[in-house]
Amino acid sequence: MNFLGTHDTPRILTLLGTGGDGREHDKDWRAAFRMSPGQYALGKARLKLGALVLFVFPGSPMVYYGDEAGLEGFEDPFNRRTYPWGREDGELLAWYAALGRARRELPALRRGELAWTLT
């Protein structure tokens, strides 16, 4: 079982976009925090790469609800906001859907092996 984020961690998009868990700020600041457009774009680009690795690695890719939709937030309870029905990040949803299709259609992504080579 492989994952990038869970209910026990800050949202992966937030970590990747801000570069930290926000612990240098108080809880009220973390509760109100929303990423800037630049932070969101950086986090999204990094998340897409991370999700690619997640879906091609051996094992079962697990996605914490809302990561595929662009939810952000620091630790619990800020990472447990409701799913943004109708306001999802369409590009991220399409990316995760494409990764799921590739995993379903390419047997090597389901039953393949990982081999490390030294060069």
Side-chain angles (χ1 to χ4, degrees), residues 57 114-118:
F57 230 67
L114 182 63
W116 302 100
T117 59
L118 300 175

Side-chain angles (χ1 to χ4, degrees), residues 6-12 14 21-23 25-34 64-65 67 70-82:
T6 73
H7 67 280
D8 290 324
T9 62
R11 286 280 177 182
I12 189 65
T14 301
D21 63 7
R23 293 289 182 165
H25 299 283
D26 66 25
K27 198 166 187 168
D28 289 337
W29 183 92
R30 293 191 311 274
F33 179 82
R34 297 298 179 274
Y64 180 43
Y65 87 96
D67 282 349
L71 279 181
E72 59 180 276
F74 289 111
E75 81 282 357
D76 186 14
F78 317 124
N79 62 355
R80 294 183 187 233
R81 292 183 178 106
T82 58

Side-chain angles (χ1 to χ4, degrees), residues 25-76:
H25 299 283
D26 66 25
K27 198 166 187 168
D28 289 337
W29 183 92
R30 293 191 311 274
F33 179 82
R34 297 298 179 274
M35 290 190 294
S36 71
Q39 290 171 322
Y40 187 88
L42 177 61
K44 181 174 164 177
R46 290 175 170 173
L47 176 56
K48 288 171 74 175
L49 288 173
L52 175 63
V53 172
L54 179 69
F55 275 76
V56 301
F57 230 67
S60 299
M62 308 302 280
V63 178
Y64 180 43
Y65 87 96
D67 282 349
E68 77 287 3
L71 279 181
E72 59 180 276
F74 289 111
E75 81 282 357
D76 186 14

